[in-house]
C-alpha cells in the first residue's frame, strides 16, 4: 500500500524527491498500488522502492534508478524507460507492453512472466536477467 507522505513528496518533483531520498536513504519508499500514470519521473532515485501493482502506464522514467525495486505486477505499458536502471529489481509478471527500454540496465532483474511484447529493448543490458515465460512478441532486441 502506498504511503501518502511518500506520494506527496514525489508529486513535488524529482529534484525534491531525490533530495529527500538522499536525506532519508534508509527509508524504503512505499508506492504499492499507487496511480502514477503519466508521471514525469525522469532521473528519479527509486532504488529499493516498493512499487508492486503500481500503475505507471505512459510514465516517463528515463534515466531513473529502480535498482532492487519491487515491481511485481506493475503496469509500465507505453512508458518511457530509456536508460532506466532496473538491475536486480523484481518485475515479474509486470506489463511492459510497448515500452521504450532503449539502453536500459536489466542486469540480474527478475522479469519472469513479464509482458515485453512490442517493447524496444535495443541496446538493453539483459545479462543475468530471469526472462523465463516472458512475452517478447514483436519486441525489438537489436544490440541487447
Amino acid at each position: 500500500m502506498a504511503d501518502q507522505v511518500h506520494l506527496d513528496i514525489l508529486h513535488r518533483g524529482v529534484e525534491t524527491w531525490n533530495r529527500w531520498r538522499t536525506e532519508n536513504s534508509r527509508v524504503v519508499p512505499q508506492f504499492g498500488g499507487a496511480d502514477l500514470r503519466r508521471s514525469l519521473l525522469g532521473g528519479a532515485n527509486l532504488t529499493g522502492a516498493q512499487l508492486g501493482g503500481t500503475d505507471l502506464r505512459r510514465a516517463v522514467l528515463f534515466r531513473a534508478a529502480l535498482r532492487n525495486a519491487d515491481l511485481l505486477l506493475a503496469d509500465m505499458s507505453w512508458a518511457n524507460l530509456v536508460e532506466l536502471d532496473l538491475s536486480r529489481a523484481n518485475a515479474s509478471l509486470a506489463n511492459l507492453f510497448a515500452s521504450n527500454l532503449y539502453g536500459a540496465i536489466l542486469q540480474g532483474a527478475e522479469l519472469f512472466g513479464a509482458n515485453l511484447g512490442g517493447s524496444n529493448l535495443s541496446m538493453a543490458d539483459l545479462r543475468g536477467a530471469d526472462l523465463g515465460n516472458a512475452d517478447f512478441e514483436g519486441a525489438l532486441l537489436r544490440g541487447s
Side-chain angles (χ1 to χ4, degrees):
M1 183 166 191
D3 183 310
Q4 191 60 49
V5 172
H6 296 172
L7 285 169
D8 291 345
I9 297 166
L10 187 64
H11 288 309
R12 289 184 204 144
V14 170
E15 187 176 316
T16 300
W17 172 258
N18 285 346
R19 187 172 41 254
W20 183 85
R21 282 290 283 158
T22 299
E23 295 167 0
N24 298 276
S25 61
R26 294 179 189 240
V27 175
V28 176
Q30 301 291 327
F31 297 109
D35 183 352
L36 296 174
R37 280 178 292 174
R38 298 183 185 271
S39 293
L40 302 176
L41 302 171
N45 179 1
L46 296 165
T47 299
Q50 296 297 316
L51 292 150
T54 300
D55 188 345
L56 289 158
R57 286 177 289 166
R58 296 190 184 273
V60 176
L61 287 149
F62 68 91
R63 295 189 183 141
L66 280 93
R67 292 177 300 278
N68 299 306
D70 175 9
L71 292 147
L72 179 70
L73 294 169
D75 189 348
M76 296 178 279
S77 55
W78 300 94
N80 178 349
L81 308 173
V82 171
E83 297 179 6
L84 172 77
D85 185 352
L86 204 63
S87 53
R88 295 177 309 283
N90 180 7
S92 294
L93 304 174
N95 184 10
L96 293 137
F97 178 80
S99 290
N100 188 356
L101 288 144
Y102 180 90
I105 303 167
L106 303 166
Q107 288 181 356
E110 295 290 329
L111 293 160
F112 183 86
N115 179 6
L116 294 153
S119 292
N120 179 6
L121 288 150
S122 298
M123 305 307 290
D125 185 346
L126 298 165
R127 287 179 289 175
D130 180 354
L131 304 170
N133 288 340
D135 180 358
F136 287 95
E137 185 175 345
L140 297 174
L141 295 161
R142 198 169 313 133
S144 293

